[in-house]
């Protein structure tokens, strides 16, 4: 929802502090130099500004874009896996997701 009530109910992290993840930044910087990162940002912004309706996909308040997500696996109403990302790059391991889907059969 535009009020981000679901994220609040799930306890998802939010705010600029949740976007700072030094290990993820180090990994990104190891793969790219400053010039390539700047170029990537410029291309992304040009594409985002060129796609009709793109702005309608983002929350109306910019601070709501600083919300972390998570991974939730359900079988019917039964929650099999819950992983709440604490920071950028804190994603659920694919092995855990696959195991949850297997165990829920």
């Amino acid at each position: 929802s535009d009020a981000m009530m679901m994220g609040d109910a799930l306890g998802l992290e939010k705010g600029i502090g949740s976007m700072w993840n030094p290990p993820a930044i180090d990994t990104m910087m190891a793969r790219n130099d400053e010039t390539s990162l700047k170029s990537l940002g410029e291309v992304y912004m040009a594409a985002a500004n060129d796609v009709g309706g793109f702005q309608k996909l983002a929350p109306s308040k910019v601070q709501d874009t600083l919300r972390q997500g998570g991974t939730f696996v359900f079988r019917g109403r039964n929650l099999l896996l819950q992983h709440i990302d604490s920071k950028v790059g804190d994603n659920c391991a694919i092995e855990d997701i696959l195991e949850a889907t297997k165990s829920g059969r």
Side-chain angles (χ1 to χ4, degrees), residues 19-28 87-88:
M19 304 306 286
W20 184 251
N21 184 349
I25 292 170
D26 291 344
T27 300
M28 181 180 62
K87 298 205 175 298
V88 170

Side-chain angles (χ1 to χ4, degrees), residues 10-69:
L10 292 170
L12 300 180
E13 298 291 332
K14 61 183 174 182
I16 194 71
S18 71
M19 304 306 286
W20 184 251
N21 184 349
I25 292 170
D26 291 344
T27 300
M28 181 180 62
M29 293 305 290
R31 290 190 310 246
N32 303 282
D33 60 17
E34 185 177 345
T35 302
S36 66
L37 290 172
K38 184 176 179 184
S39 177
L40 178 64
E42 290 169 353
V43 169
Y44 174 80
M45 287 306 298
N49 290 333
D50 202 30
V51 175
F54 179 80
Q55 290 78 11
K56 294 177 185 176
L57 296 175
S60 59
K61 298 180 204 162
V62 71
Q63 66 266 28
D64 291 337
T65 63
L66 303 176
R67 166 84 65 176
Q68 293 302 312

Side-chain angles (χ1 to χ4, degrees), residues 71-82 97 99-105:
T71 303
F72 304 89
V73 178
F74 289 89
R75 173 84 57 210
R77 293 177 179 255
N78 296 324
L79 178 63
L80 303 177
L81 173 70
Q82 173 180 316
I97 298 168
E99 185 59 34
T101 61
K102 291 177 189 174
S103 69
R105 291 183 181 167

